[in-house]
Amino acid sequence: HVQLVESGGGSVQPGRSLTLSCVVSGGTISRACMGWFRQAPGKEREGVAWIDTRGRGSRYADSVKGRFTISQDNAKSTLYLHMNSLKPEDTAMYYCAAKWGGAYCYTEPQAFAYWGRETQVTVSS
């Protein structure tokens, strides 16, 4: 039974940093495609960052490239999203997602079988 549990959201001022965590249970984090997605009010869910935890690299949406970093800690079975230089437009509910199996990690939300609940990030002065 796979579970993903996010934490680390909060309210910050523009320019500040936050780190989101996603603890994975019931699955091996080191053999997964994993991603962070977000959804702002009235908008569709969008991908932010993805990582092939089998050591095949990571990808970022253009809107966060250079500011956000996705990483994993296999010993803690935890996925992270380090967010720097936050902007008001980063305000959204953030979700982590995972998929096991397959040779390629796709980035679309429908490619992911398991989702965490969400954690809210608010960037406002």
Side-chain angles (χ1 to χ4, degrees):
H1 177 60
V2 174
Q3 281 193 310
L4 308 177
V5 179
E6 297 102 333
S7 62
S11 296
V12 297
Q13 293 181 329
R16 303 299 291 269
S17 300
L18 275 177
T19 295
L20 305 183
S21 300
C22 174
V23 177
V24 179
S25 59
T28 304
I29 191 174
S30 61
R31 299 177 183 175
C33 299
M34 299 201 70
W36 286 97
F37 293 80
R38 66 187 182 187
Q39 188 165 17
K43 294 188 177 181
E44 293 187 355
R45 188 171 297 190
E46 64 172 352
V48 173
W50 304 265
I51 187 168
D52 186 329
T53 64
R54 298 166 290 189
R56 299 176 187 174
S58 55
R59 297 175 63 181
Y60 298 90
D62 288 342
S63 58
V64 305
K65 203 170 292 183
R67 300 189 297 122
F68 289 12
T69 303
I70 189 171
S71 66
Q72 68 193 83
D73 184 328
N74 293 342
K76 296 182 178 180
S77 195
T78 301
L79 180 74
Y80 298 100
L81 184 67
H82 308 278
M83 305 184 292
N84 297 320
S85 302
L86 282 162
K87 304 176 181 180
E89 51 264 44
D90 295 318
T91 296
M93 299 295 287
Y94 282 72
Y95 303 81
C96 65
K99 164 191 172 289
W100 281 268
Y104 186 75
C105 289
Y106 295 93
T107 59
E108 295 81 3
Q110 52 266 37
F112 291 82
Y114 301 95
W115 291 82
R117 288 194 175 227
E118 72 275 336
T119 187
Q120 174 70 42
V121 173
T122 302
V123 185
S124 173
S125 55

